[in-house]
Amino acid sequence: MQVNEKVAIDHGLKADEYKKICDLLKRTPNLTELGIFSAMWNEHCSYKSSRLHLKKLPTKGKKVIQGPGENAGVIDIEDGDAIVFKIESHNHPSFIEPYQGAATGVGGIMRDVFTMGARPIANLNSIHFGSPQNKKTKNLLRGVVHGIGGYGNCMGVPTIAGQTSFDSSYNGNILVNAMTLGLVKKNKIFYSKAAGLNKPVIYVGSKTGRDGIHGASMASASFDEKIEEKKPTVQVGDPFTEKLLLEACLELMAGDSIIAIQDMGAAGLTSSSIEMASKGNLGIEINLNKVPCRETKMSPYEIMLSESQERMLIVLENGKEEQAKKIFDKWNLDFAVIGKTTNTKNIELFFDNERVANIPVNTLVENSPMYDRKWKKSKLPKKNIIKKDTLKKLKIKDVLKKILSNQNVCSKEWIWQQYDHTVMGDTIQKPGGDSGVVRVHGTNKAVAASVDSSAVYCWAHPLTGGKQIVAESWRNLISVGATPIAITNCLNFGSPENEDNMGEFVECVQGIGEASKYLNFPVVSGNVSFYNQTKDVGIKPTPSIGGVGLIKDYKKMITMDLKEIDNLVLVIGKTEGHIDQSLFARTILDEKKGPPPEINLFNEKNNGESLLNLIDKNYIKSAHDISLGGLITALSKMCIKGNKGIKLNKPKNLINEIEYYFSEDQGRYLIEISPKDFEKVTDILNKNSVHHEKLGVIIKNEMIINDKTKVTIDELKSYNTTWLIDYMSS
């Protein structure tokens, strides 16, 4: 095929980008070279619309070993141990083919982690679907959940936490964000930087096929009515092969053979070879005839752009080839020496004794486009004036029933029951709590992790929403007794070519950065997913934040279930009665205007650190952060989990109890303490200037709200647990 501007545009490149390629090469690229440029210069691989803004995020900290720029971030958890973790999107493939899209998303993120020498110990996910009334939603949900479970379960890695939401903005573009944590010794971390000349370049894993070609480019484009035609771009996963690959790689890593290693993810052999060469300031020469292929007559173009799964690229020390081959032969995996490192600083590809590509590495990486796109600044919406008479007419029991049974609050047990969350035997807090927790095997330490997003807040005011989602991640870790260390992010947005969408991205990133910096909660890895839209209809801005923290003694871990009759429940943090953008306002009042709740980072930090102090002193029996649905929703879940009730005190500060119970003011926690510790606890809170109040006392069997309204625990369970089961069985 003769390459020209039209062919370049068909590959997802802009006309000016094609001209730049020709200028950099000082010639017209051939088809293989054009395919390589199109893969490396798309949004998914080059971050051309986001790099400028991502640079502003805080990425360093006392516990940070490796920040952004590698396959995953790495943090120090003491005693020579480290946690490797990252979250990444697989949105477009999952909408096209939900099972394989979600499955290969899980497989891909696990490879990112074990590529660095870490054994995966936990998976999480953040998944978002269209309206339940949308005809596609149920099947998409079922396919995605089974795909996540199918791959993770076969790999023997527990899924310990997650988030699921429904919103009509996802009708045409669902979101599937997968996160993995791995455990590694600090002195056995592996990186992707190639080093040394004439070092053998090794291909290992599965054979290369035609599945997934243009997968990275597809992830950098909007959908249209021809979506079904994109199914061949979705990769096909094999978790059993990945399990073999994991064990083989870890066995090889136990020695001293590996110089660099890189997963073949987006853009396959193209991105893995180029990233290794670029980081090492080297060239790489590859003989494509030596690449193991499962289909006949594959062209150089197809081999380089295939995104077949369960493959790795390794640079070995000289003389280690036979030793390495024995390991991969033992695990029944392909092993082939396909090339070598060079001093040319070029990617040189040979096929049938001809050189079919010769591209300077810097043209693909350093010289890739970087755009400072136009964006619109958002204004903080005016506060809604809600008539008190409207609120007074509402019956609190009726409102509570609707909130607890809402699709975004209801129990997601149907989902996480599809996942194996106890395999490996170290899960000590399963899905359904504030964070999942896994013990570091053979120690008293435990690692907590959560994943959160808040599209509604980010849509209402991106700057505030960006801060909020970091703060919520912070609270979720603290609620289980973990000291927050670092975050990973997956930033899901519409087209960056739209000024409104780009503005949402810029300001969300700004908010994430401000909160992360203030809370000493740096960003160590992440992913950007643009073009989540069908035609011109985009999703609500949805940054997903994966937070990780350390519990030094897992016996001090906190759960949310109420423990003992006669214990007291306190509220930490002030309730102002912020109703705008709350679930109550949107569900009960059908009101979607107004600002999200204010984020006071001083209070977030002070309240959280004070709670950690109380946990360390063994004063806290249970805890839960207050978020979606407000105080009484969080309290109801504590009652359900503990099978206990509570007699609530009458609110002192607000006229209307609806505002008190259903507002979504930030920085708040519910804590359970023994009556004998009340003075000690309140003394510490007062010394730290932490606002608090006594909410009520734990009783049997029912929630008594205002001496008149009573809700049994069985009723609360029924409200909260039936919606999703009924929906999936209907």
Side-chain angles (χ1 to χ4, degrees):
M1 180 185 290
Q2 184 66 40
V3 172
N4 53 35
E5 185 179 290
K6 182 182 182 304
V7 175
I9 291 171
D10 289 341
H11 277 70
L13 293 161
K14 306 293 185 186
D16 60 336
E17 292 174 343
Y18 173 65
K19 184 179 182 303
K20 183 177 180 179
I21 292 168
C22 294
D23 290 343
L24 287 168
L25 294 177
K26 299 183 172 91
R27 58 179 173 83
T28 301
N30 62 39
L31 187 62
T32 300
E33 292 171 329
L34 182 72
I36 290 170
F37 271 103
S38 73
M40 294 302 298
W41 281 21
N42 64 43
E43 290 285 357
H44 193 79
C45 294
S46 74
Y47 294 85
K48 58 189 176 185
S49 297
S50 57
R51 290 205 309 272
L52 186 69
H53 305 283
L54 296 176
K55 290 177 179 180
K56 300 172 185 176
L57 292 172
T59 59
K60 300 183 184 299
K62 291 181 180 179
K63 296 285 188 179
V64 176
I65 296 173
Q66 175 64 53
E70 268 293 339
N71 286 292
V74 189
I75 56 173
D76 188 345
I77 59 165
E78 305 177 1
D79 309 310
D81 295 322
I83 292 293
V84 179
F85 68 104
K86 187 181 182 183
I87 188 170
E88 200 161 64
S89 64
H90 228 222
N91 303 335
H92 286 52
S94 299
F95 186 68
I96 297 168
E97 214 300 302
Y99 184 95
Q100 287 296 346
T104 52
V106 173
I109 197 64
M110 281 197 280
R111 286 196 304 279
D112 281 340
V113 167
F114 74 74
T115 296
M116 299 192 71
R119 179 175 290 280
I121 59 171
N123 288 332
L124 302 88
N125 55 75
S126 178
I127 52 179
H128 305 265
F129 300 90
S131 166
Q133 289 73 44
N134 184 277
K135 62 182 182 180
K136 290 186 177 181
T137 296
K138 190 183 298 182
N139 286 334
L140 287 168
L141 173 61
R142 182 177 282 110
V144 165
V145 169
H146 288 165
I148 291 171
Y151 208 103
N153 295 353
C154 291
M155 284 290 293
V157 179
T159 300
I160 64 167
Q163 178 200 24
T164 304
S165 78
F166 300 85
D167 186 275
S168 59
S169 77
Y170 307 117
N171 283 350
N173 289 84
I174 65 171
L175 303 181
V176 176
N177 297 173
M179 178 177 170
T180 294
L181 281 69
L183 179 66
V184 68
K185 289 295 181 181
K186 286 196 297 185
N187 62 351
K188 294 297 289 184
I189 300 169
F190 288 82
Y191 298 95
S192 58
K193 179 181 176 180
L197 298 179
N198 295 312
K199 302 294 183 182
V201 176
I202 313 297
Y203 174 115
V204 299
S206 292
K207 288 181 170 61
T208 295
R210 291 189 170 94
D211 56 313
I213 294 173
H214 293 304
S217 298
M218 179 267 293
S220 303
S222 303
F223 284 147
D224 55 29
E225 64 276 0
K226 297 181 179 178
I227 185 174
E228 290 296 318
E229 297 175 8
K230 299 181 185 287
K231 281 192 175 183
T233 64
V234 178
Q235 309 92 333
V236 178
D238 179 357
F240 299 105
T241 298
E242 177 137 330
K243 175 63 174 174
L244 299 177
L245 183 61
L246 163 66
E247 299 300 340
C249 286
L250 292 181
E251 184 174 340
L252 183 62
M253 288 167 169
D256 58 356
S257 303
I258 297 175
I259 296 173
I261 181 169
Q262 177 72 44
D263 149 55
M264 292 190 212
L269 186 54
T270 289
S271 62
S272 57
S273 59
I274 291 163
E275 286 173 15
M276 293 173 86
S278 173
K279 290 172 183 176
N281 198 28
L282 294 169
I284 286 182
E285 179 184 299
I286 297 174
N287 184 344
L288 295 177
N289 291 103
K290 294 184 177 181
V291 173
C293 294
R294 65 170 178 262
E295 299 183 49
T296 60
K297 297 182 179 180
M298 288 189 69
S299 68
Y301 178 97
E302 293 172 320
I303 294 169
M304 289 301 293
L305 295 181
S306 168
E307 293 185 10
S308 294
Q309 299 291 284
E310 296 88 35
R311 303 179 299 158
M312 293 280 189
L313 198 64
I314 303 173
V315 178
L316 285 181
E317 292 284 4
N318 292 111
K320 301 290 186 177
E321 296 93 329
E322 283 304 312
Q323 176 186 337
K325 186 176 186 303
K326 285 181 181 178
I327 292 173
F328 285 90
D329 284 347
K330 182 181 86 172
W331 292 100
N332 198 29
L333 295 165
D334 279 286
F335 178 99
V337 180
I338 65 170
K340 63 181 181 180
T341 59
T342 69
N343 63 0
T344 64
K345 299 184 181 180
N346 286 9
I347 291 292
E348 295 179 88
L349 306 178
F350 293 85
F351 188 73
D352 290 347
N353 297 315
E354 291 185 12
R355 189 164 68 181
V356 294
N358 186 21
I359 309 173
V361 171
N362 65 355
T363 65
L364 294 161
V365 183
E366 291 91 341
N367 295 127
S368 65
M370 184 170 71
Y371 296 126
D372 184 3
R373 296 196 183 275
K374 292 181 179 179
W375 58 277
K376 287 185 180 178
K377 187 176 179 63
S378 62
K379 293 182 180 179
L380 187 68
K382 292 182 179 179
K383 190 174 177 62
N384 275 320
I385 299 175
I386 299 170
K387 294 180 179 179
K388 300 298 181 183
D389 289 344
T390 302
L391 299 180
K392 288 179 180 179
K393 291 177 183 177
L394 297 171
K395 294 182 178 180
I396 195 165
K397 186 173 180 177
D398 293 340
V399 175
L400 182 59
K401 179 180 180 179
K402 288 181 180 178
I403 294 295
L404 283 177
S405 60
N406 179 270
Q407 63 264 25
N408 290 323
V409 169
C410 73
S411 169
K412 303 303 188 299
E413 188 171 358
W414 180 89
I415 292 173
W416 56 259
Q417 279 183 337
Q418 318 297 318
Y419 311 145
D420 191 335
H421 48 270
T422 60
V423 65
M424 300 178 77
D426 285 315
T427 303
I428 56 175
Q429 188 158 170
K430 65 185 183 182
D434 286 300
S435 298
V437 184
V438 289
R439 185 180 55 153
V440 178
H441 195 76
T443 75
N444 288 329
K445 296 183 296 189
V447 177
S450 70
V451 61
D452 303 281
S453 66
S454 184
V456 169
Y457 291 173
C458 293
W459 170 77
H461 191 241
L463 179 63
T464 303
K467 294 179 187 177
Q468 188 275 337
I469 200 60
V470 175
E472 185 169 347
S473 179
W474 165 272
R475 292 196 300 273
N476 281 334
L477 294 172
I478 286 173
S479 296
V480 300
T483 300
I485 297 176
I487 63 175
T488 180
N489 60 46
C490 190
L491 308 176
N492 308 278
F493 291 82
S495 170
E497 299 169 55
N498 178 292
E499 293 182 19
D500 291 318
N501 292 345
M502 194 65 203
E504 292 170 344
F505 173 82
V506 171
E507 293 190 302
C508 275
V509 169
Q510 183 182 339
I512 291 169
E514 287 181 19
S516 300
K517 184 176 182 180
Y518 193 93
L519 298 173
N520 298 318
F521 204 26
V523 181
V524 298
S525 60
N527 168 240
V528 176
S529 177
F530 279 133
Y531 296 99
N532 290 289
Q533 62 185 51
T534 297
K535 295 184 177 179
D536 295 325
V537 180
I539 63 166
K540 284 187 173 77
T542 312
S544 296
I545 300 293
V548 179
L550 177 66
I551 304 173
K552 291 187 178 182
D553 183 355
Y554 72 84
K555 295 175 184 176
K556 290 190 174 186
M557 180 189 74
I558 302 297
T559 58
M560 70 164 66
D561 51 300
L562 296 179
K563 301 297 190 299
E564 293 185 29
I565 304 293
D566 296 328
N567 275 355
L568 304 175
V569 176
L570 277 61
V571 185
I572 288 178
K574 194 170 185 179
T575 301
E576 302 280 1
H578 188 100
I579 291 293
D580 288 345
Q581 297 302 331
S582 66
L583 186 63
F584 166 81
R586 287 179 280 118
T587 302
I588 306 300
L589 304 179
D590 195 28
E591 180 57 71
K592 298 176 176 61
K593 298 178 181 177
E598 178 186 354
I599 308 298
N600 185 314
L601 291 173
F602 174 82
N603 288 343
E604 291 284 0
K605 195 169 191 292
N606 190 41
N607 295 355
E609 289 178 344
S610 298
L611 178 52
L612 281 178
N613 183 23
L614 294 173
I615 292 171
D616 188 58
K617 294 181 183 298
N618 296 315
Y619 291 141
I620 304 300
K621 309 302 180 183
S622 67
H624 185 28
D625 89 301
I626 301 173
S627 54
L628 187 66
L631 185 155
I632 200 166
T633 302
L635 184 60
S636 296
K637 291 190 174 186
M638 295 177 79
C639 291
I640 293 168
K641 288 279 187 182
N643 202 35
K644 295 189 175 56
I646 186 168
K647 186 177 189 304
L648 293 168
N649 301 325
K650 189 173 181 179
K652 295 179 181 179
N653 300 325
L654 297 171
I655 297 173
N656 194 290
E657 62 185 6
I658 292 287
E659 291 178 305
Y660 184 80
Y661 288 127
F662 294 101
S663 64
E664 294 180 10
D665 302 283
Q666 300 292 292
R668 298 182 296 161
Y669 305 82
L670 295 171
I671 60 171
E672 176 191 351
I673 63 171
S674 169
K676 67 181 178 61
D677 295 327
F678 178 74
E679 289 187 8
K680 296 174 184 175
V681 169
T682 54
D683 184 55
I684 291 171
L685 294 174
N686 287 329
K687 283 181 179 177
N688 292 337
S689 300
V690 174
H691 188 278
H692 60 279
E693 54 190 284
K694 191 189 297 184
L695 184 64
V697 60
I698 299 174
I699 60 174
K700 294 182 179 179
N701 303 327
E702 62 184 357
M703 179 185 287
I704 303 174
I705 299 172
N706 47 22
D707 294 328
K708 300 179 291 183
T709 303
K710 298 180 180 180
V711 191
T712 68
I713 303 305
D714 286 342
E715 286 178 304
L716 291 176
K717 288 179 181 177
S718 177
Y719 300 161
N720 192 236
T721 58
T722 57
W723 182 86
L724 187 57
I725 296 171
D726 291 346
Y727 177 69
M728 295 309 298
S729 61
S730 63

